[in-house]
Amino acid sequence: MRIVVASDTHAKSWDDMPKAFKTAVKSADAVIHAGDIGSSSFYSDLTKHSKTLYAVLGNNDNLPVPIELEITLDGVR
């Protein structure tokens, strides 16, 4: 299983992100974003380009994501 873990991207849009990040997200089985996504537009794009996105709220976010989240991936909690 391939997982991308990111935080503090503070992005306004998908285009703000480096090519390596975009390639990694598109090829990952899951993306975990640990807060401070940046904008609702980037969150929407990240959701669109991720197979599965798990995200939590950062102190600079105003998004419809939980404050904390527990997940299990490939049997690992």
Side-chain angles (χ1 to χ4, degrees):
M1 175 172 258
R2 176 174 272 162
I3 301 169
V4 170
V5 179
S7 71
D8 297 285
T9 48
H10 299 278
K12 291 182 180 162
S13 76
W14 181 252
D15 295 334
D16 290 343
M17 299 307 293
K19 182 179 179 182
F21 176 84
K22 293 188 268 188
T23 300
V25 165
K26 289 179 180 182
S27 66
D29 298 303
V31 175
I32 299 171
H33 199 294
D36 289 341
I37 291 171
S39 70
S40 58
S41 176
F42 179 61
Y43 174 70
S44 178
D45 289 341
L46 191 56
T47 300
K48 183 174 89 177
H49 292 289
S50 302
K51 290 178 187 165
T52 304
L53 174 63
Y54 301 98
V56 294
L57 199 64
N59 65 319
N60 291 304
D61 288 329
N62 183 17
L63 300 167
V65 296
I67 293 172
E68 57 184 57
L69 185 64
E70 286 188 29
I71 60 175
T72 301
L73 296 172
D74 205 19
V76 178
R77 182 173 175 208

